[in-house]
Amino acid sequence: MDIHALLMLTASMFFILNPFASLPIFVSTTKDVDPSVMKSYANKAVLVAAILLFVFVFIGQDLMGFFGVTMDSFRTAGGLVLILMGIEIVFGIKLSQDASEKGAPWVIIATPILSGPGIITAAILFSEQYGLIPIIVSSIIALIVTWVLLRLSPTIVRYIGIQPLEIVSKIIGLLLTAMGVEYILKGVTSWLITSDVLNVTASVVSSLGII
């Protein structure tokens, strides 16, 4: 297993999980509960996020095949999802389900915040690109770090403050947007190559004597 690729993959999964965006919400929704209950909420949130993530790691590509979706088109759509996630984080625009809706705090954190469309997209794309073992190992590491941060969220917010967390979250949002652009470019380029569009276009242009 390539250590460099594993580190990059772990960082990518961590960025997409983006627990820094979850900490202020988790703290505000658990401020009146017992610390032991808060920790159980963190356990449940990460467990649900892990289950959803690994379900799509193992069956995501089969699901795409069932619906006749190619990896190139899914990579392009996934890139768009990551761009929208980045826009949400950077500009504070709510394009997805409102996390302030009523419900158990751990449910709100588990989905849609941790295990939203972005992490599902990443699970499928990364498993196809790097294989099952690297994505499983990197996901476990990212989930463990996220779990630790959630369990320590009151202490982190108390000593660091919400504003620095928001700044880090926005930087992560910018990185997600850049990742999304890369996936769209790769998806479109790969589709043009595999569908032979470039060769056909070149042949037509040549036959017309344009070049």
Side-chain angles (χ1 to χ4, degrees), residues 5 24 30 45 56 68 81-82 87 97 104 127 142 152 170 172 185 200 206:
T30 59
F56 281 92
V81 168
L82 292 179
I87 291 174
Q97 185 179 4
S127 62
L152 297 177
K170 290 184 184 300
I172 291 175
L185 291 175
V200 171
S206 179

Side-chain angles (χ1 to χ4, degrees), residues 25 29-30 41 97-109 111:
I25 299 173
T29 54
T30 59
Y41 285 165
Q97 185 179 4
D98 189 357
S100 64
E101 63 180 288
K102 294 182 179 179
W106 67 269
V107 174
I108 296 171
I109 298 300
T111 180

Side-chain angles (χ1 to χ4, degrees), residues 22-152:
S22 309
L23 295 184
I25 299 173
F26 190 67
V27 170
S28 65
T29 54
T30 59
K31 61 182 179 181
D32 296 325
V33 303
D34 186 86
S36 61
V37 176
M38 183 273 295
K39 290 180 180 179
S40 72
Y41 285 165
N43 296 342
K44 293 176 181 177
V46 175
L47 177 61
V48 171
I51 291 173
L52 290 174
L53 193 161
F54 288 120
V55 163
F56 281 92
V57 165
F58 287 106
I59 71 167
Q61 293 187 49
D62 293 334
L63 196 62
M64 287 170 51
F66 178 78
F67 287 104
V69 178
T70 66
M71 183 55 67
D72 291 335
S73 60
F74 188 83
R75 186 177 285 111
T76 303
L80 179 59
V81 168
L82 292 179
I83 288 175
L84 292 176
M85 280 184 63
I87 291 174
E88 277 192 323
I89 295 170
V90 173
F91 295 104
I93 301 171
K94 289 297 179 184
L95 302 175
S96 58
Q97 185 179 4
D98 189 357
S100 64
E101 63 180 288
K102 294 182 179 179
W106 67 269
V107 174
I108 296 171
I109 298 300
T111 180
I113 296 177
L114 289 181
S115 55
I119 201 66
I120 292 172
T121 299
I124 298 174
L125 289 176
F126 289 156
S127 62
E128 185 272 340
Q129 185 174 354
Y130 296 98
L132 286 179
I133 300 301
I135 185 64
I136 290 173
V137 173
S138 62
S139 297
I140 290 174
I141 296 173
L143 286 165
I144 289 174
V145 176
T146 299
W147 172 72
V148 171
L149 289 176
L150 285 180
R151 286 174 65 93
L152 297 177

Side-chain angles (χ1 to χ4, degrees), residues 149-205:
L149 289 176
L150 285 180
R151 286 174 65 93
L152 297 177
S153 56
T155 303
I156 294 172
V157 172
R158 183 166 64 250
Y159 285 101
I160 297 179
I162 292 179
Q163 190 171 17
L165 292 175
E166 290 179 346
I167 293 173
V168 172
S169 182
K170 290 184 184 300
I171 294 173
I172 291 175
L174 185 59
L175 292 172
L176 288 178
T177 304
M179 287 173 61
V181 172
E182 285 291 332
Y183 274 116
I184 289 177
L185 291 175
K186 287 181 180 179
V188 172
T189 302
S190 180
W191 179 82
L192 289 174
I193 293 173
T194 55
S195 61
D196 216 28
V197 171
L198 294 179
N199 290 334
V200 171
T201 302
S203 298
V204 172
V205 171

